[in-house]
Amino acid sequence: MLTNNDCYKAGQYITPTGIMVHSTGANNPNLRRYLAPNDGLIGVNTGGNHWNQAKPDGQQKCVHAFIGKLADGTVATYQTLPWNMRGWHAGGAANNTHIGFEICEDDLTDANYFNAVYQEAVELCAYLCELYNFNPLADGVIIGHFEGYQRGVASNHADPGHWFSKFGKTMNDFRQAVYNEMNETTTLYCVQVGAFSVRANAEALLTQIKAAGFDGYIKTYGTLYCVQVGAFSVRANAEAVLAEVKAAGFDAFIKIE
C-alpha cells in the first residue's frame, strides 16, 4: 500500500461502480519505478521517484494497483490502495466511481511483454468484477482513461488505447476478454479417498487423512459426504498426489469435476 501518499492519508472512500484502465506513458516496465520499499521481489528504487510519498513527481496522484515487472523480469500485480478508497487517477469525476490501475509501459514494441501485462490486466479486472458483481460488458463498467475523457469524467489522456492499438487490441476486445475469463470453465482433478452417507464417517476419515500429512476436506455431492485431497487443473499433479495417498495406505482415485 502507498501509505505515504497524500491520497492514502486523505482516507476518503467510495462505492466502486467500475474500473478504469491506465498505462503509465513512460518507457519503464519495472514496478520498482513506482513502488517502494523493496519487498525482496520488486527491487530497489534508486531514483527516489516512487509513488509511496506525499506527492510523487510533485503531483497529487495515486492508483489502486500497478501491473509490471518484478526484479526477475516476471509480470505481477501489486495492490496499492484499498479497492474502495477514493483514488486520484482519473483527473475527473471517475475518481468518485472507478477503481483505477496502471499498466507499466515499455517502449511499446515488445509483443511478449504486452501480451503478458494485457492478460494480467484481464485477470485483475475479472477478479474485481467478481468481487463487486460488475458486468464487464455493461456500459461504463470497464473503461480506458481515454474513454473516460470522451465521457467527460476524466482528463485528456490517450491511454491505454494508444498502446493497445499497436497490437491490434481495443477496449472492446479487452472487455470481452474479461467476460471470457469470468465465464471460463476449468476441469479440476480431485483425489477422492472416500464417500459416505453419514457425515461422521467422513469426518473420521478426514481426521486420518490429516494425521497422515494431507490437506484434506469434505465436499458434499447430493446426500454423499466425500473426503478429498487437492483440486488440480493439471491431471499429472493430481496423479502425483494420488500416488502419495495410496502409498500412505489409503484407497483413492481421481474424481473429475
Side-chain angles (χ1 to χ4, degrees):
M1 296 292 175
L2 299 174
T3 55
N4 293 322
N5 191 293
D6 279 350
C7 177
Y8 185 94
K9 292 180 179 179
Q12 297 178 318
Y13 290 86
I14 64 172
T15 300
T17 60
I19 306 164
M20 181 171 284
V21 184
H22 302 267
S23 59
T24 54
N27 182 7
N28 194 330
N30 299 302
L31 286 167
R32 65 177 175 267
R33 159 62 178 87
Y34 303 96
L35 306 181
N38 177 26
D39 64 350
L41 296 175
I42 61 173
V44 178
N45 180 299
T46 59
N49 56 353
H50 56 78
W51 284 27
N52 195 21
Q53 54 188 303
K55 292 182 179 180
D57 304 318
Q59 302 174 43
Q60 291 184 313
K61 58 185 178 181
C62 200
V63 292
H64 295 86
F66 279 90
I67 295 174
K69 287 184 178 181
L70 298 172
D72 67 1
T74 58
V75 166
T77 299
Y78 271 62
Q79 184 180 356
T80 48
L81 289 176
W83 301 126
N84 64 339
M85 180 172 277
R86 184 179 185 271
W88 295 346
H89 61 90
N95 284 341
N96 301 319
T97 56
H98 282 60
I99 296 167
F101 68 91
E102 293 274 6
I103 308 173
C104 299
E105 293 185 14
D106 60 354
D107 65 0
L108 311 187
T109 64
D110 186 339
N112 290 331
Y113 177 68
F114 172 79
N115 290 331
V117 294
Y118 182 89
Q119 180 59 31
E120 189 82 2
V122 165
E123 293 176 12
L124 172 59
C125 285
Y127 166 76
L128 291 171
C129 284
E130 290 174 351
L131 183 64
Y132 285 100
N133 197 28
F134 294 159
N135 176 358
L137 299 182
D139 182 58
V141 170
I142 299 178
I143 57 176
H145 194 159
F146 73 98
E147 291 178 313
Y149 171 70
Q150 292 169 340
R151 290 168 175 266
V153 296
S155 56
N156 187 5
H157 282 237
D159 60 305
H162 70 294
W163 188 9
F164 281 20
S165 64
K166 292 180 180 294
F167 295 94
K169 298 292 187 182
T170 66
M171 282 303 299
N172 284 335
D173 295 327
F174 183 82
R175 286 183 279 266
Q176 186 63 54
V178 174
Y179 176 85
N180 293 344
E181 182 74 23
M182 293 173 67
N183 290 275
E184 184 180 68
T185 56
T186 302
T187 299
L188 292 177
Y189 302 93
C190 305
V191 177
Q192 184 155 310
V193 189
F196 305 90
S197 59
V198 178
R199 185 179 182 90
N201 295 338
E203 290 175 346
L205 179 58
L206 179 61
T207 298
Q208 296 176 39
I209 285 291
K210 289 186 174 181
F214 298 103
D215 187 14
Y217 57 92
I218 294 174
K219 190 165 184 180
T220 304
Y221 297 91
T223 60
L224 289 178
Y225 301 97
C226 300
V227 180
Q228 297 180 347
V229 176
F232 307 92
S233 58
V234 178
R235 187 182 181 98
N237 295 338
E239 290 174 345
V241 172
L242 175 64
E244 294 177 5
V245 170
K246 286 186 172 181
F250 298 96
D251 187 16
F253 65 94
I254 293 176
K255 181 179 178 63
I256 300 175
E257 298 184 352

